Amino acid sequence: SRARSPSMATSRAAFALAHAPQRAVRAVRAPSVARAHGEARMAMKMRRLHGVGSRRTFARVVAHAAPAWPWASDVYVRRAADAPVVRAKPAVGHASALSVAPMMEYTTTHFRVMCRLMSKYAWLWTEMEVDQTLTHAVEDGTRVDRFLDYPVATAATVLQLGGSSPEILGRATAISAPYGYEEINLNSGCPSPKVAGKGCFGAALMMEPALVAECLAAMAENAPDGTPVSVKCRIGVDDVDGYDDFCRYVETIVAQSPTRRFYVHARKAILAGLSPAENRTVPPLRHDWAYAIARDFPECEFHLNGGLKTLNDVSNALTRGPADGGRIHGVMIGRQAHADPWGLLSAADTEIYGAESNPCPSRRVFLQRYAEYADENIGRFGTAKDGYRVPSVRHMMHPIQNLFHGCANNKLWRRLVDEELQKRAKRPETTVASILDATLVAISDEDLDAPPGAAGVDAFDIDRDWDLPRRGAGYLAR
């Protein structure tokens, strides 16, 4: 996991934050797996014999690709000795009908590149960056780029901040301003003990709506002109879980800050007794509450998060909600984007945004483009003391580990990747392209060249009996 403690020594913090170690799992080959290895390799030999699916072809395409991945720090940040930092805001003209939710240790820069290659229009979110991490990075002289920089091709990205001090959140927002994020968001919904417990922010902030409003006002004051400041929240927390409580939370923010955009995870958070994973499944989903709060605050923009998994769910949530409910402006999906990125995102542009085509016509083309990005940026921050480049080949391979979800030999491919990384991840000549060349033996041409397609099991029930809460009626999120 990524170390975030501001009290660590500068060198140790810089190393830990830049180089999140990945656990290598030793592969144990059962006889059936060994046979599968042999069969897959034999199939690859036959394809090479007939000139089909050659790994040399893949490597050749990648090797001759021109560098195409400038970073925000190069494009948007202009530094001069006697002038302030100047920011050029990226032009994004589409609405965030679909957002990929912020997820710690998942929505890294490289994960977001993967998502953007699959969809031009879905909005992407950073991991939560703790406000004190950014302010201490500046004070200690470490490179803030390691926390805030991103390839400009992934524009339409939301920066999520965590904290509970208006002053520090304001400073963190000012530090992030030159990087050109499309939106700045305050985390008021994370139930992790490290965040809501010791950190006293995240979901714990829902008990103090006036403080949330003060934090949002400070962030808006320090954000670039035209950049919205939003909040991500639950519908309640612990015993503060009535619909009236939720309305007071929104009402206070609207009255005391410029924020009008809310991302609502339609479950309450239970801070004592449930893990973060359990908080995503145990408290009951109340999609009704999201439509009700949108009805009661029509001047605001609400996005629905929680339990939705497919592009059909996105479309249905936007267009087939309750007749007496308010408008939902967008849908946020998190874990499914990691579990099956191709199944969620590869067809999103045509299915959700009405585009004529999708960015990548196949997984093979996607891998060629992703390898171009990865191999251009491996070691961008140098080499760590343990010999791994920062970012490492392993970092770059992590986001695409579920690319072949549902395909034959998916587990075999992942095993082969792990074996290759264990053998040669530290070698300077090792690239993502070379790892793919050595492991795609396991995947058939049919799966590599299959066109984009939506996948997954729909979770949004369009035939449900809606029960929208109303103020003063005693509704509880239990």
Side-chain angles (χ1 to χ4, degrees):
S1 61
R2 298 173 65 188
R4 298 290 177 111
S5 171
S7 63
M8 295 178 68
T10 301
S11 59
R12 184 180 175 189
F15 165 74
L17 287 160
H19 182 73
Q22 302 289 333
R23 291 182 297 176
V25 180
R26 183 176 300 277
V28 180
R29 294 190 190 178
S32 59
V33 175
R35 283 196 298 272
H37 272 274
E39 291 169 1
R41 288 196 170 99
M42 180 59 70
M44 186 62 176
K45 288 179 181 179
M46 294 301 294
R47 291 201 296 272
R48 286 185 196 163
L49 181 65
H50 295 287
V52 179
S54 162
R55 64 182 183 179
R56 289 195 303 275
T57 301
F58 176 78
R60 186 163 58 245
V61 172
V62 174
H64 287 82
W69 294 93
W71 288 67
S73 59
D74 302 321
V75 177
Y76 299 131
V77 180
R78 302 288 184 265
R79 296 182 176 89
D82 57 350
V85 173
V86 177
R87 168 192 181 269
K89 190 177 189 294
V92 177
H94 56 80
S96 54
L98 170 61
S99 293
V100 176
M103 296 176 284
M104 292 300 294
E105 301 182 357
Y106 287 103
T107 50
T108 62
T109 301
H110 321 309
F111 182 92
R112 300 197 306 271
V113 167
M114 175 194 72
C115 294
R116 182 58 71 228
L117 286 172
M118 294 181 186
S119 171
K120 292 181 180 179
Y121 303 120
W123 276 33
L124 310 177
W125 287 54
T126 68
E127 301 173 89
M128 182 188 70
E129 298 291 351
V130 178
D131 54 359
Q132 293 186 40
T133 299
L134 300 183
T135 57
H136 279 275
V138 172
E139 294 166 1
D140 294 343
T142 58
R143 290 193 66 185
V144 181
D145 285 355
R146 297 195 181 190
F147 306 100
L148 295 177
D149 212 357
Y150 61 94
V152 295
T154 62
T157 297
V158 179
L159 170 66
Q160 185 179 68
L161 296 177
S164 58
S165 164
E167 178 185 356
I168 300 176
L169 281 166
R171 289 170 58 199
T173 302
I175 291 168
S176 69
Y179 292 86
Y181 284 97
E182 190 65 20
E183 181 179 321
I184 312 294
N185 177 268
L186 176 63
N187 185 334
S188 178
C190 179
S192 167
K194 294 181 180 179
V195 173
K198 295 179 180 179
C200 296
F201 55 96
L205 283 175
M206 290 205 69
M207 300 185 209
E208 302 183 66
L211 176 58
V212 174
E214 189 179 354
C215 291
L216 291 168
M219 293 167 65
E221 185 178 352
N222 288 276
D225 291 342
T227 299
V229 173
S230 62
V231 62
K232 188 172 186 295
C233 62
R234 294 280 182 133
I235 60 174
V237 58
D238 291 342
D239 293 332
V240 185
D241 63 349
Y243 184 70
D244 289 353
D245 297 316
F246 189 30
C247 287
R248 278 192 292 272
Y249 174 85
V250 174
E251 194 171 51
T252 302
I253 290 171
V254 170
Q256 300 178 21
S257 82
T259 293
R260 297 295 182 272
R261 185 175 293 171
F262 296 77
Y263 296 84
V264 179
H265 188 155
R267 286 186 174 93
K268 65 175 287 185
I270 300 175
L271 302 184
L274 291 184
S275 68
E278 290 170 331
N279 262 299
R280 293 192 297 268
T281 57
V282 174
L285 271 171
R286 303 292 187 195
H287 288 165
D288 315 63
W289 287 43
Y291 291 97
I293 202 74
R295 173 201 65 206
D296 292 339
F297 293 88
E299 71 276 26
C300 295
E301 179 181 318
F302 292 93
H303 297 247
L304 177 61
N305 176 220
L308 305 179
K309 297 183 177 182
T310 68
L311 295 183
N312 275 339
D313 286 343
V314 175
S315 179
N316 288 333
L318 294 177
T319 61
R320 304 186 70 174
D324 56 344
R327 178 190 173 191
I328 292 296
H329 287 74
V331 171
M332 174 176 278
I333 297 179
R335 301 288 156 177
Q336 192 66 19
H338 164 68
D340 184 11
W342 185 258
L344 177 67
L345 295 172
S346 67
D349 288 5
T350 54
E351 296 291 325
I352 300 300
Y353 296 97
E356 293 184 359
S357 62
N358 296 296
C360 287
S362 68
R363 290 181 179 91
R364 190 191 300 275
V365 172
F366 161 78
L367 286 171
Q368 290 169 353
R369 295 174 182 174
Y370 183 80
E372 173 193 330
Y373 157 78
D375 292 341
E376 185 178 318
N377 289 287
I378 290 172
R380 185 167 181 260
F381 294 110
T383 302
K385 293 180 180 179
D386 62 0
Y388 284 99
R389 290 165 289 173
V390 182
S392 67
V393 177
R394 188 178 290 277
H395 284 136
M396 294 298 189
M397 290 298 299
H398 185 260
I400 64 173
Q401 62 182 303
N402 292 322
L403 178 65
F404 297 104
H405 177 84
C407 296
N409 288 334
N410 170 47
K411 290 183 179 179
L412 172 59
W413 177 70
R414 292 181 60 171
R415 187 183 296 275
L416 290 173
V417 168
D418 190 67
E419 289 175 355
E420 290 295 320
L421 290 173
Q422 289 188 58
K423 286 190 297 186
R424 55 192 181 96
K426 289 185 180 181
R427 298 177 188 174
E429 70 275 11
T430 302
T431 62
V432 167
S434 70
I435 297 293
L436 293 173
D437 286 343
T439 59
L440 287 178
V441 59
I443 303 299
S444 70
D445 288 331
E446 180 180 2
D447 287 329
L448 277 169
D449 296 323
V457 178
D458 297 343
F460 188 88
D461 183 5
I462 59 176
D463 296 320
R464 75 182 72 189
D465 293 325
W466 294 98
D467 181 21
L468 272 63
R470 293 192 176 275
R471 283 179 142 175
Y475 281 84
L476 299 175
R478 300 178 184 177

